[in-house]
Amino acid sequence: MALFDAFAIVDWSAANTPTTGKDSIWIALGEREEGTFRLIETVNPPTRSAAMARLRQFFRDALAADKRVFAGFDFPFGYPRGAAGAIAGTDDWSALWSFFADSVQDTDSNTNNRFEIAGRLNRDRLAFAPMFWGRPEFQDIPGLPPRRPEPYPDALPERRLSEDRARKAQPVWKMHYVGSVGSQAVTGMARLEQLRRDEEFAGKIAVWPFETGFADKLDAPITFAEIYPGLSQIEKGDKSCLDEAQVETLCEAFGRFDAEGRFEALLAAPADLQGEDKRAALMEEGWIVGLGYRLSDEVPSEHDNSGIAVPNRRLHYIREPSRIYEESFRLVREATDLSRFPEEAHDLVIRMVHACGMPEIAESLVVSEGAIAAGRAALEAGAPIITDAEMVSHGIIVSGLKQQNKIVCRLNDPRTRRIAEREATTRSAAQVDLWTDVMEGAIVAIGNAPTALFRLIERIEEGAPRPALILALPVGFVGAAESKAELLRDDRGVPFVTLPGRLGGSALAAAAVNALASGLGE
Ligand SMILES: C/C1=C2N=C(/C=C3N=C(/C(C)=C4\N[C@@](C)([C@@H]5N=C1[C@](C)(CCC(=O)O)[C@H]5CC(=O)O)[C@@](C)(CC(=O)O)[C@@H]4CCC(=O)O)[C@@](C)(CC(=O)O)[C@@H]\3CCC(=O)O)C(C)(C)[C@@H]/2CCC(=O)O
């Protein structure tokens, strides 16, 4: 027998401004009718207030028609065990919801104080275990570090049991960055608790699994439950964004399961959730609909027992190259402090951070005065690009070199080996002696070998032709920091870009050339 007559599936967002489209709030609404299920409407409200207004109307209409509603929300309904006690004084989910309902200020235009709340909790109630982290790099929030601290506190668990089991789920303490759910949890719990307190709905809402004992008592007019679209493999298809596809697919899948009498199995406690773990799930951590549900043999699926089968089985990831670049550069900008660099160096910093995935390199990267202009002018004049390793050469996007600049690497020149043997040095350093004919006004990109940078400095001191720019990015433990320190001590009149210390690498050197040649485009 079907449990519900109407379904609302909500993809929540903690955005700070009114937002629509990707990464905003999406709500799919559906109804069961004569044994089948149909989607009624999918809406994309720009603010949390607008979303709640639409949901209220949906619930109101359902109550008036004596219909029972299932409402799934894609944010955590609880924190790892022990957190509710620390934050709200009682090991109980409802104390936590009350705490957020009373503390969160979330305006009709979406501005909210979620980061401040996390920072304040870290400073006082969670001072013994300041678990919250993640914020926009330049928003200074006392108590809330931008990145996950190392070492990370261990006085409270980092993950709920359900997050451990749903492999891709992120911990609720992470308030910012891709895939984070911490901010959604804070703003979401606050909004749902306010609805529970509202006279119109008080006593008519049950929160799964806390108040329903998983599937023991599913008779409330409205059931709220935590869902996680990551349990299913859903593709964007012809929808405007993945979020839209996810809410519609789950709404239809849940509605269909229920019409077939199979939805209760997704709400039941998994057989292997027992003892203290089950108690924690029921008291404070919560659970995710369908997590641990074993698909029956009649449903063909590639899933193991950690997922819900929906018709579409392709993994979800961004495939379009241009979108990957666009999204990546957007995230790099968000996470990187560019304020120290002149405008003209921004593309270079962004591309380098993009190449190694470490925004923190921007804290120590050195771009000497005039380096960017010198590099661009050299490329424009058709100067060659000299590299210490083939890897650097191969990382350079040739289509971005408007003057078809020559790329020179003499590591594998037969003469290099002979010099290396004669001088008892590396091939990387030996090849520098063969650069004389191309060095005047060139860009030298060193991404691997510290000995190549040392030898280049020696050659410049010996009076060899001067390059226009040195991209000094050797990497490693032997000589990398020392060779760069030598250049920083005295640049011998040649502009340079360098990253002090061990960090560097061929990819970074190639990315630096690519930024000079074509900015953030091809
Ligand atoms: C000591 C060397 C280091 N190499 C590192 C890292 C990587 N090197 C790779 C590869 C494939 C190559 N490295 C050579 C340049 C080779 N590496 C050395 C040398 C022995 C000495 C360099 C120096 O200390 O200045 C050097 C050989 C030489 O005689 O110059 C390479 C030429 C070796 C070879 O194939 O013969 C070769 C370059 C090939 C090319 O592209 O042309 C790695 C891919 C190895 C790997 O990880 O599998 C890696 C790439 C790192 C990068 O981003 O470029 C270190 C760690 C840089 C190290 C120097 C510092 C240290 O701590 O030891």
Side-chain angles (χ1 to χ4, degrees):
M1 198 193 78
L3 295 168
F4 302 99
D5 307 294
F7 285 74
I9 299 297
V10 184
D11 182 328
W12 193 246
S13 159
N16 224 36
T17 52
T19 313
T20 52
K22 185 172 162 302
D23 295 333
S24 63
I25 301 177
W26 285 89
I27 305 175
L29 303 169
E31 259 182 8
R32 190 166 50 79
E33 248 176 26
E34 292 164 8
T36 60
F37 185 81
R38 69 178 183 97
L39 272 179
I40 310 169
E41 189 186 6
T42 302
V43 290
N44 181 208
T47 62
R48 283 177 290 283
S49 293
M52 292 313 292
R54 182 65 191 94
L55 285 172
R56 274 169 185 275
Q57 190 56 51
F58 185 68
F59 298 152
R60 189 173 294 133
D61 292 346
L63 290 177
D66 214 15
K67 290 182 172 171
R68 297 193 29 228
V69 184
F70 174 89
F73 298 84
D74 75 335
F75 53 79
F77 274 20
Y79 277 59
R81 62 196 79 181
I87 294 172
T90 319
D91 287 338
D92 183 289
W93 66 278
S94 61
L96 197 65
W97 282 39
S98 282
F99 171 81
F100 287 126
D102 295 337
S103 328
V104 172
Q105 289 157 15
D106 189 5
T107 70
D108 286 348
S109 59
N110 260 3
T111 51
N112 64 80
N113 62 344
R114 67 197 195 271
F115 292 132
E116 285 75 14
I117 290 173
R120 203 167 61 232
L121 284 172
N122 268 356
R123 279 181 284 130
D124 48 45
R125 298 183 189 190
L126 295 175
F128 71 102
M131 307 294 285
F132 284 106
W133 63 275
R135 59 166 163 82
E137 204 83 31
F138 315 114
Q139 209 170 323
D140 190 19
I141 311 286
L144 185 64
R147 317 217 140 255
R148 184 178 178 278
E150 280 296 344
Y152 192 65
D154 58 6
L156 285 172
E158 184 170 15
R159 299 168 73 84
R160 298 180 296 158
L161 183 63
S162 54
E163 285 153 6
D164 274 338
R165 292 203 186 176
R167 289 173 302 246
K168 290 179 287 177
Q170 304 231 10
V172 71
W173 306 109
K174 179 177 165 186
M175 297 292 289
H176 190 56
Y177 301 117
V178 184
S180 60
V181 290
S183 287
Q184 283 93 323
V186 170
T187 52
M189 287 185 217
R191 290 286 187 161
L192 295 192
E193 176 61 16
Q194 281 153 6
L195 203 71
R196 276 170 24 98
R197 290 176 182 181
D198 192 310
E199 261 181 26
E200 188 179 0
F201 300 105
K204 296 183 177 126
I205 297 171
V207 183
W208 178 91
F210 309 119
E211 295 181 303
T212 64
F214 282 96
D216 290 351
K217 199 173 172 305
L218 292 166
D219 55 2
I222 302 169
T223 300
F224 286 170
E226 176 182 341
I227 58 165
Y228 175 49
L231 285 189
S232 313
Q233 294 169 7
I234 300 169
E235 273 228 322
K236 174 176 162 280
D238 59 358
K239 299 296 166 193
S240 67
C241 59
L242 180 66
D243 317 71
E244 182 183 4
Q246 285 178 329
V247 291
E248 288 194 355
T249 307
L250 282 185
C251 195
E252 280 190 308
F254 287 173
R256 210 183 51 237
F257 274 34
D258 196 29
E260 293 164 5
R262 295 162 55 211
F263 192 47
E264 188 173 341
L266 270 66
L267 300 174
D272 60 352
L273 183 67
Q274 295 290 343
E276 180 49 33
D277 287 344
K278 187 170 181 184
R279 195 204 67 82
L282 281 170
M283 284 297 292
E284 52 178 327
E285 291 201 353
W287 199 252
I288 298 167
V289 172
L291 179 64
Y293 165 63
R294 282 184 192 276
L295 293 161
S296 60
D297 293 340
E298 83 236 290
V299 184
S301 166
E302 295 158 5
H303 285 268
D304 59 14
N305 68 349
S306 65
I308 303 165
V310 291
N312 197 332
R313 295 211 183 86
R314 289 184 72 188
L315 288 174
H316 158 241
Y317 51 91
I318 308 178
R319 293 181 167 81
E320 293 159 53
S322 59
R323 269 195 61 213
I324 295 172
Y325 269 112
E326 198 181 298
E327 179 66 356
S328 184
F329 288 143
R330 184 184 71 77
L331 293 168
V332 171
R333 275 183 196 284
E334 202 174 281
T336 309
D337 184 357
L338 296 170
S339 59
R340 203 163 70 67
F341 299 96
E343 181 84 35
E344 59 176 14
H346 287 190
D347 287 356
L348 176 114
V349 183
I350 290 170
R351 257 204 193 271
M352 289 180 69
V353 170
H354 169 255
C356 66
M358 297 173 65
E360 49 274 34
I361 67 163
E363 288 160 26
S364 51
L365 188 73
V366 181
V367 180
S368 79
E369 205 180 326
I372 304 296
R376 289 203 179 126
L379 288 173
E380 203 47 49
I385 302 158
I386 308 173
T387 71
D388 67 324
E390 295 291 349
M391 287 178 288
V392 180
S393 304
H394 288 291
I396 296 171
I397 302 169
V398 179
S399 60
L401 301 173
K402 296 182 188 65
Q403 307 302 328
Q404 281 86 47
N405 311 65
K406 210 157 64 166
I407 301 172
V408 181
C409 178
R410 294 200 167 141
L411 184 71
N412 296 310
D413 187 306
R415 294 168 296 170
T416 298
R417 184 171 296 281
R418 290 199 290 275
I419 299 171
E421 282 166 6
R422 190 184 70 221
E423 302 295 328
T425 187
T426 65
R427 284 191 295 131
S428 300
Q431 67 174 325
V432 179
D433 291 11
L434 298 174
W435 289 354
T436 316
D437 62 316
V438 283
M439 212 148 80
E440 182 76 51
I443 292 180
V444 178
I446 296 179
N448 180 303
T451 58
L453 180 57
F454 273 128
R455 183 64 188 140
L456 175 66
I457 295 171
E458 288 171 355
R459 289 288 295 137
I460 291 171
E461 283 186 349
E462 287 165 14
R466 279 163 187 276
L469 173 69
I470 304 173
L471 299 170
L473 299 159
V475 59
F477 292 82
V478 179
E482 293 82 350
S483 59
K484 289 180 273 190
E486 181 57 37
L487 183 68
L488 279 163
R489 190 185 64 74
D490 180 357
D491 63 10
R492 283 89 178 163
V494 182
F496 65 88
V497 172
T498 195
L499 193 52
R502 294 173 187 157
L503 289 180
S506 296
L508 279 182
V513 174
N514 294 334
L516 292 170
S518 50
L520 299 184
E522 274 266 306

